[in-house]
Amino acid sequence: MDITDIVTEEYVEIEPATRVAKVRAIFDERNPKGVVVMEDGEYVGVIGEKQLIQSHIEDDTKAAAIVGSARSGGSPPRVSRHDDVREVSRMLVEGDVKIAPVYEGEKLIGIVAADDILQAVQENLKAITVRDIATSAVVSITEDEHIGKAINRLRENSISRLPVLNEASELTGILTTNDIVDFVVRDERRQGSHDRRGEVDRMLDLPIYDLMSSPVLTVTPGETVDKAVSTMFENGVSGLVVTSTAAGSNVVGVVTKTDVLRALTHTEEESMDVQITNINLLDVLTREDIVEDITSVVNKFQEMNVLHAHVRFTQHKEKLRGTPLLRCQLRLRTTQGQVAGSGEGYGAEHAFHVALDRLERNVLELKGIKADDEYRGQLLRKLNEL
């Protein structure tokens, strides 16, 4: 299936120097699917409405500051009208964008949005369950922890939502980046533009309970993905918390629209399905290098087969002799459960190998746990024979 019937002309072209206030007005007045930024006929990047909402930035700032390429450290993907849905989904995930421009030759003919892809393939999602694609390594936070800690946790893990738990580890709410941005914007409008350092400190010290949303939209592992996607669209959210039972509060995972897009890219032909978010940050490192290195680590645990590998690069402002400091996060979904590793370094190759070392230690630790369990089982069987 190609994206011919998914392409839309509901977009607006602007220049990089356009003020953010005008971009906001465009979304309010014309409600386009996205804004394409062009300079002298050359494609620069894209801006989506949710991206604009999440960018806590002054109205006088130029659009170039929040365009897709500036946020991810390079140019976001551009696709062709006849590209396959799987490949376009891969490019959106790896570019860490929700919208991509669609070209016919050198002519811009429209855009394709992640939400439109999900709606187009939704009927086919009945074949897979939430359990198949959800992230089980959940990063959460408790009600009495502070907003400052939540912001750090969101940033460190490159995620946009945190399930909120009470003292009994029961799900009581959800905190998203949107919740935090909305609170900051409301507070700014109320306080004005004076020196707000005191107010910012006060906000960082607020308990999570004061900002979290409740009740939480949830889904169970056995639900089909098409139902989960319907719930997201109906409620205007991009993710759901996965609980062991429909009425339960035991968190077992999180599933997002990006997880669904990522599932669309899986193919039977690949020995290992690998997604690389912000692939444009790779320097001398290649996809083939990454697959080979991950495979060599996994092979140390002979019973482990990788179902999916996700590699995410995030660029920091710090540089060393012109080389940016990067954070690399590796997450493998395997036949033995999920295993992850992360690390930082100057350049993609350095950051990746720091993360790979951590991943290898975690794989070997998992191997040791499995071996201990087998030994324990053998011991118990022998004792039962006495």
Side-chain angles (χ1 to χ4, degrees):
M1 176 182 179
D2 66 27
I3 62 169
T4 299
D5 296 330
I6 309 175
V7 178
T8 177
E9 296 180 1
E10 297 178 33
Y11 71 95
V12 175
E13 284 188 30
I14 65 169
E15 296 181 349
T18 304
R19 293 167 59 247
V20 166
K22 184 174 181 179
V23 181
R24 290 195 173 107
I26 288 173
F27 279 107
D28 289 340
E29 297 166 7
R30 302 170 65 175
N31 194 32
K33 291 279 188 178
V35 168
V36 178
V37 184
M38 305 285 287
E39 185 171 26
D40 298 328
E42 294 293 324
Y43 167 60
V44 176
V46 291
I47 300 175
E49 185 172 22
K50 182 165 288 188
Q51 171 189 337
L52 183 64
I53 292 172
Q54 291 179 346
S55 60
H56 177 49
I57 198 166
E58 299 292 335
D59 282 350
D60 287 336
T61 305
K62 294 179 180 179
I66 58 170
V67 75
S69 57
R71 293 172 63 245
S72 56
S75 296
R78 50 183 279 179
V79 300
S80 167
R81 176 197 289 275
H82 299 294
D83 282 347
D84 186 77
V85 165
R86 290 180 182 272
E87 184 58 27
V88 174
S89 297
R90 179 189 295 279
M91 293 174 72
L92 291 173
V93 171
E94 295 190 340
D96 199 21
V97 293
K98 305 300 180 187
I99 302 167
V102 182
Y103 279 77
E104 197 156 52
E106 293 301 313
K107 181 182 177 182
L108 177 66
I109 61 169
I111 62 172
V112 61
D115 279 0
D116 291 341
I117 290 177
L118 293 180
Q119 289 175 326
V121 303
Q122 190 170 347
E123 188 67 24
N124 299 323
L125 300 178
K126 292 179 179 179
I128 53 177
T129 65
V130 170
R131 180 183 293 106
D132 296 328
I133 68 170
T135 299
S136 59
V138 182
V139 180
S140 61
I141 199 161
T142 58
E143 296 175 334
D144 57 352
E145 291 184 276
H146 297 159
I147 297 299
K149 187 168 185 178
I151 292 173
N152 287 336
R153 199 162 290 179
L154 289 165
R155 182 185 298 120
E156 289 169 359
N157 293 279
S158 299
I159 54 178
S160 58
R161 57 188 42 78
L162 291 169
V164 183
L165 312 178
N166 61 17
E167 292 180 352
S169 296
E170 297 170 329
L171 178 67
T172 58
I174 187 82
L175 182 74
T176 69
T177 52
N178 275 348
D179 294 327
I180 296 172
V181 171
D182 287 346
F183 176 81
V184 171
V185 171
R186 288 197 309 270
D187 195 51
E188 276 189 349
R189 289 172 178 166
R190 186 173 65 251
Q191 298 289 344
S193 58
H194 62 280
D195 188 344
R196 301 182 61 256
R197 282 174 292 186
E199 282 85 357
V200 171
D201 290 340
R202 177 183 58 81
M203 185 201 77
L204 295 177
D205 287 336
L206 285 174
I208 301 297
Y209 185 85
D210 288 2
L211 263 70
M212 73 181 196
S213 299
S214 184
V216 186
L217 291 168
T218 63
V219 67
T220 59
E223 294 284 2
T224 58
V225 172
D226 76 299
K227 183 173 181 179
V229 170
S230 291
T231 301
M232 293 183 206
F233 280 130
E234 288 167 5
N235 292 276
V237 298
S238 57
L240 303 172
V241 177
V242 185
T243 54
S244 53
T245 61
S249 56
N250 178 38
V251 178
V252 295
V254 171
V255 63
T256 68
K257 288 180 180 177
T258 300
D259 291 324
V260 183
L261 274 181
R262 192 175 292 124
L264 294 178
T265 71
H266 294 179
T267 64
E268 294 179 359
E269 289 78 14
E270 292 180 297
S271 58
M272 181 190 298
D273 185 79
V274 178
Q275 257 78 57
I276 306 171
T277 299
N278 292 330
I279 194 170
N280 49 282
L281 293 176
L282 297 185
D283 36 39
V284 297
L285 198 63
T286 66
R287 175 189 290 276
E288 290 71 23
D289 293 333
I290 289 174
V291 172
E292 182 179 345
D293 287 347
I294 291 177
T295 301
S296 68
V297 168
V298 172
N299 284 345
K300 295 180 180 181
F301 190 169
Q302 293 181 353
E303 297 177 1
M304 177 182 285
N305 293 317
V306 177
L307 306 175
H308 174 75
H310 183 207
V311 184
R312 172 186 285 273
F313 291 98
T314 307
Q315 182 172 318
H316 297 301
K317 292 182 180 179
E318 183 181 339
K319 292 185 177 182
L320 178 65
R321 300 187 186 90
T323 302
L325 178 65
L326 302 182
R327 177 178 176 81
C328 178
Q329 295 167 289
L330 307 177
R331 188 182 71 201
L332 309 183
R333 183 179 287 114
T334 79
T335 52
Q336 300 296 324
Q338 291 199 34
V339 60
S342 63
E344 294 186 346
Y346 291 98
E349 186 174 29
H350 183 199
F352 172 71
H353 284 108
V354 173
L356 190 70
D357 286 343
R358 169 53 62 183
L359 178 74
E360 181 172 358
R361 288 196 292 271
N362 291 339
V363 166
L364 293 176
E365 181 179 332
L366 179 61
K367 181 178 181 180
I369 291 173
K370 293 289 184 181
D372 287 346
D373 288 343
E374 291 177 6
Y375 174 74
R376 190 177 297 110
Q378 292 171 0
L379 183 59
L380 287 172
R381 284 193 294 273
K382 289 181 178 180
L383 289 174
N384 289 332
E385 293 171 359
L386 295 178

